[in-house]
Amino acid sequence: MSAWVEIAGLGAPATVQDGGRPGVMHHGVPPGGAWVPELLVAANRAVGNAPGAAAFEAFGRLELRARGRDVRVSVDGAAPTLLVDGATLTVPAPTGYAVRYVAVDGALAVPELLGGRGTLWVARLGGWEGRPLRSGDRIPLGPPTTPSEADLLRLTEALDPAAPLRVLLGPDASRFGDAAVALLLGSTFTVSPSSDRVGQRLDGPPVPHGDEGAGTSRPMVRGAIQVTLSGTPIVLGPDHPTTGGYPLIAAVIRADWGRLGARRPGAPVRFQAVSLEEAQRAWKNHPARPAGTTSGPLPPILGA
């Protein structure tokens, strides 16, 4: 290990995350990836890494110490800070967003597992030893890269905290009446403090449905909005279970995953129904969409 970043201190959980590991759900492994992809992309671009390279996802204060070489560090896509060998950088806890992303030039060179390097905490795999980071951990770095300019304005505009979350309705329309759909689209919910990377629970009026827990278990996807027996909506996150049986009233479109993930507990959430074509167009024009990908009709508009 010729160069690494040492975790000098932590104020809240932090993990290694990247662009995810799609295509392995048939092995029972969810796609994972950054909770707020826009901020991961912005931080990586700022230091010259690939957009989905491995970086730190931190929910609180994070202290880093450079070892082996000088490194450049970007927080959420801001202009890089030069951290000389042996020096320490304190990254404050997030303020405007629920989480922040800290990228180091060369990226975090943790082992690749099932096509990704991110931490899948619920399965204890990936990232650094399959767990949240601890003080004293030494995370190896790849070769130095050349900083570039991140389109930070467009990326952060996509996280507009006042904008509604666009959704595709269904697929379980038969289990919900018109009144339930009207309530979902006409109410303001708030992000529950009990939310995590598996799913964001929303506090607000209960959404009525006729399901009594007898639904057939089937594959799940990020962004799917499950409604529990008590009527509580839960929007599945990057570490969602691969199968589930609660009825699905709608799915947050791919372009708005980060818009929800960036919101702190207590933040308001409203929904807006859009067409399949609108969902595809939103992802096609999204600043965090990887180059060379397309947005095909993959539920719930995952992009390909």
Side-chain angles (χ1 to χ4, degrees):
M1 187 162 52
S2 59
W4 66 93
V5 169
E6 181 181 344
I7 306 300
L10 289 162
T15 58
V16 175
Q17 296 296 341
D18 65 355
R21 45 175 64 86
V24 290
M25 276 187 55
H26 61 292
H27 292 305
V29 179
W35 202 345
V36 185
E38 292 83 352
L39 297 181
L40 173 73
V41 169
N44 273 322
R45 285 178 178 169
V47 295
N49 296 339
F56 296 112
E57 181 180 86
F59 289 85
R61 174 181 52 83
L62 179 64
E63 297 178 21
L64 304 176
R65 183 175 295 118
R67 294 294 192 186
R69 66 172 172 88
D70 299 348
V71 300
R72 289 181 173 83
V73 181
S74 174
V75 180
D76 297 341
T81 296
L82 180 63
L83 185 60
V84 300
D85 187 5
T88 300
L89 172 68
T90 297
V91 179
T95 53
Y97 301 126
V99 64
R100 66 190 338 164
Y101 292 83
V102 183
V104 181
D105 72 284
L108 307 180
V110 297
E112 182 176 304
L113 182 63
L114 295 175
R117 301 180 190 273
T119 308
L120 183 56
W121 193 349
V122 294
R124 305 294 190 268
L125 63 81
W128 187 245
E129 299 181 352
R131 58 168 172 80
L133 298 168
R134 302 169 185 161
S135 293
D137 285 343
R138 297 182 172 188
I139 314 302
L141 298 176
T145 51
T146 302
S148 60
E149 291 187 7
D151 190 356
L152 185 57
L153 179 60
R154 284 194 67 212
L155 286 161
T156 54
E157 282 178 347
L159 304 179
D160 184 353
L165 300 180
R166 292 165 289 184
V167 299
L168 292 173
L169 294 175
D172 293 327
S174 61
R175 302 193 202 179
F176 297 93
D178 292 342
V181 173
L183 186 148
L184 180 78
L185 300 178
S187 302
T188 298
F189 299 87
T190 58
V191 177
S192 168
S194 62
S195 301
D196 57 23
R197 284 179 52 88
V198 174
Q200 285 176 274
R201 185 179 295 266
L202 303 180
D203 294 329
V207 179
H209 59 82
D211 185 80
E212 297 182 354
T216 301
S217 184
R218 59 183 172 182
M220 290 291 109
V221 289
R222 182 173 179 177
I225 305 176
Q226 293 185 327
V227 180
T228 67
L229 298 182
S230 63
T232 300
I234 300 175
V235 185
L236 298 186
D239 294 351
H240 64 80
T242 55
T243 61
Y246 287 128
L248 306 179
I249 192 170
V252 176
I253 69 171
R254 173 65 181 83
D256 286 359
W257 287 353
R259 184 176 290 180
L260 174 60
R263 297 186 187 184
R264 302 166 65 89
V269 174
R270 295 178 294 111
F271 294 106
Q272 174 189 348
V274 297
S275 68
L276 177 63
E277 291 73 20
E278 289 172 305
Q280 291 174 314
R281 186 162 54 249
W283 179 234
K284 180 180 180 180
N285 297 325
H286 197 277
R289 181 174 67 88
T293 63
T294 59
S295 53
L298 303 176
I301 310 308
L302 304 178

